[in-house]
Amino acid sequence: MKTIGREIFCYQKVTSTQDKAKKLAERGAPEGTVITAEIQTQGKGRLGRRWISPRGGIWVSILLRPEMAGTEAPRITIIGSLAVAEAIAEFTGKEVRLKWPNDVMISPGRGDEFRKVCGVLTETVSRFSRVDYVIVGLGINVNNRIPVSLRDKAISLKDALGYGLRKKKLLIEVLKKFDSYYSDLRRKWVIGILRKYRDMSSVLGKEVRIECPEGTVVGKALEIDPYGALILGTKSGKKRVVAGDVMIL
Ligand code: BT5
């Protein structure tokens, strides 16, 4: 690996690997530093939501120091979810789908609904419109138990497969793929990444409703642009959405 995993910190129990990563970043930790934990007591989702993180899952944060404007940060979510999706597909042989912007989904069997197996959280700290550092957090349900309250929309790989997986091997594969896509990004090789992402997308071509910071938008998901934003065809023309929660109609 070129960049990712130059330094790796593995903890038993933390509040959130994102918080650990931020502290390390502020103390000058190098790009590529990886933080993992067996258990998170205050795992974080987007917009202050909780991420349930008991023993058995992969809870990992990666510190990046990219030369990019803050507006380019959604690309990091794209490569994070793509790396996880491809690694899961290789390890399980199952069909994996990407639900823009940050969900990786699998289904237990043919004809079953797809449920969330991984969520990606990209947090950016900027100085003067340039990115100082980015922490990308990957939460993958591997062998962990899913609480009953989440079972209609969440799933673990163990539940989907009927047997447990070697967490460490899967993590190494995810980090390798992430490393490779991250160096593609630095070389401005975005087209190949987008092509792969589109092929696994469950959203493109569908009518969707998106709850985003500016309100609710409804339209057809047309395209993921080179910055990782979703282009929607709406009644009042094309609209570019940077973040939000997508519901397929
Ligand atoms: C996410 O947020 O999907 C981002 C999750 C990122 C988690 C990683 S773990 C390592 C790192 N350290 C952290 O503290 N976080 C990152 P969002 O799209 O907002 O989804 C959150 C919603 O997913 C919650 O409101 C629940 O409905 C659902 N959820 C919670 N825990 C889940 C789980 N383990 N599996 C699937 N869905 C879950």
Side-chain angles (χ1 to χ4, degrees), residues 1 58 82-84 86-91 138 140 166-181:
M1 284 192 250
I58 292 177
L82 184 59
V84 172
E86 290 189 335
I88 291 179
E90 278 173 25
F91 269 65
L138 311 172
I140 313 174
R166 303 262 291 275
K167 247 179 32 168
K168 204 168 171 185
K169 274 191 157 181
L170 180 62
L171 174 61
I172 290 168
E173 197 51 40
V174 169
L175 295 178
K176 270 192 197 158
K177 290 190 187 299
F178 187 89
D179 185 71
S180 155
Y181 287 134

Side-chain angles (χ1 to χ4, degrees), residues 71 74-75 78 100 190 194 198 204 222-231 240-242:
T71 49
R75 285 177 173 176
I78 297 282
W100 184 92
V190 188
L194 287 177
R198 287 182 193 119
L204 291 178
L222 299 176
E223 191 55 271
I224 308 285
D225 83 2
Y227 295 97
L230 182 66
I231 309 298
R240 183 172 184 270
V241 184
V242 180

Side-chain angles (χ1 to χ4, degrees), residues 121-221:
L121 174 66
T122 303
E123 296 184 289
T124 305
V125 173
S126 295
R127 238 157 256 181
F128 309 115
S129 83
R130 296 301 292 178
V131 168
D132 186 13
Y133 61 86
V134 175
I135 313 274
V136 54
L138 311 172
I140 313 174
N141 297 319
V142 185
N143 301 320
N144 54 297
R145 188 179 171 275
I146 304 293
V148 178
S149 59
L150 283 180
R151 279 190 202 158
D152 57 336
K153 56 180 181 180
I155 192 166
S156 70
L157 291 174
K158 187 177 181 183
D159 287 343
L161 292 166
Y163 55 86
L165 279 183
R166 303 262 291 275
K167 247 179 32 168
K168 204 168 171 185
K169 274 191 157 181
L170 180 62
L171 174 61
I172 290 168
E173 197 51 40
V174 169
L175 295 178
K176 270 192 197 158
K177 290 190 187 299
F178 187 89
D179 185 71
S180 155
Y181 287 134
Y182 186 59
S183 45
D184 288 351
L185 269 194
R186 286 199 298 195
R187 295 195 205 101
K188 311 286 177 210
W189 289 351
V190 188
I191 291 169
I193 292 172
L194 287 177
R195 192 182 309 125
K196 289 186 183 172
Y197 187 92
R198 287 182 193 119
D199 284 349
M200 296 179 109
S201 170
S202 66
V203 169
L204 291 178
K206 307 269 171 58
E207 294 292 330
V208 296
R209 183 168 71 228
I210 308 183
E211 308 290 340
C212 46
E214 311 83 54
T216 304
V217 272
V218 177
K220 188 171 182 179

